[in-house]
Amino acid sequence: QVQLVESGGGLVQAGGSLRLSCAASGSIFSIDAMAWYRQAPGKQRELVATITNTGSTNYLDSVKGRFTISRDNAKNTVYLQMNSLKPEDTAVYYCNAEVLTTAMAAISIAGSLNYWGQGTQVTVSS
């Protein structure tokens, strides 16, 4: 079993900053891509940022230049530094990881399984 635990959400004024963390634990052999998604009330979940296991990144256009995704492979942790926050960034933020589990690796199964964190609320006041 694999668990993803997010932290770092909260209430911040427009223009402020927050740093989200997501730590993966459990039966992990390796982690491919990791990502942050968000879902605002009444809207669909959207992909905010992704990072591969080699550090390549991609961002939602509306957060480019304000958000930075990073990861610590030794700690199986992904971060999202959010600067210059806007009210429209208000949402529940979820981390996602593509995991090759130890059970899969033991029997040489290629590929990965998708895991999600429980979400952390980010609220930006105007």
Side-chain angles (χ1 to χ4, degrees):
Q1 198 54 290
V2 174
Q3 300 83 36
L4 301 183
V5 178
E6 297 120 334
S7 60
L11 172 64
V12 64
Q13 287 189 331
S17 298
L18 284 173
R19 188 190 194 212
L20 305 183
S21 300
C22 173
S25 63
S27 303
I28 298 169
F29 183 80
S30 64
I31 301 178
D32 294 331
M34 302 184 82
W36 288 96
Y37 288 73
R38 68 186 181 187
Q39 187 166 19
K43 295 187 177 181
Q44 289 195 338
R45 189 171 297 189
E46 63 179 356
L47 177 61
V48 176
T50 62
I51 184 167
T52 68
N53 55 5
T54 56
S56 296
T57 59
N58 274 294
Y59 296 92
L60 182 67
D61 282 347
S62 62
V63 308
K64 284 181 181 177
R66 300 188 297 121
F67 290 11
T68 302
I69 188 170
S70 61
R71 65 190 281 175
D72 183 333
N73 291 330
K75 295 181 179 180
N76 290 331
T77 299
V78 63
Y79 306 95
L80 186 67
Q81 178 66 45
M82 305 185 294
N83 299 327
S84 302
L85 282 160
K86 303 175 181 180
E88 51 264 42
D89 295 318
T90 295
V92 178
Y93 284 70
Y94 299 90
C95 71
N96 176 274
E98 296 175 355
V99 179
L100 175 65
T101 67
T102 53
M104 294 168 68
I107 55 176
S108 301
I109 292 180
S112 58
L113 295 176
N114 227 300
Y115 290 91
W116 291 90
Q118 81 286 356
T120 185
Q121 177 70 47
V122 171
T123 303
V124 184
S125 63
S126 57

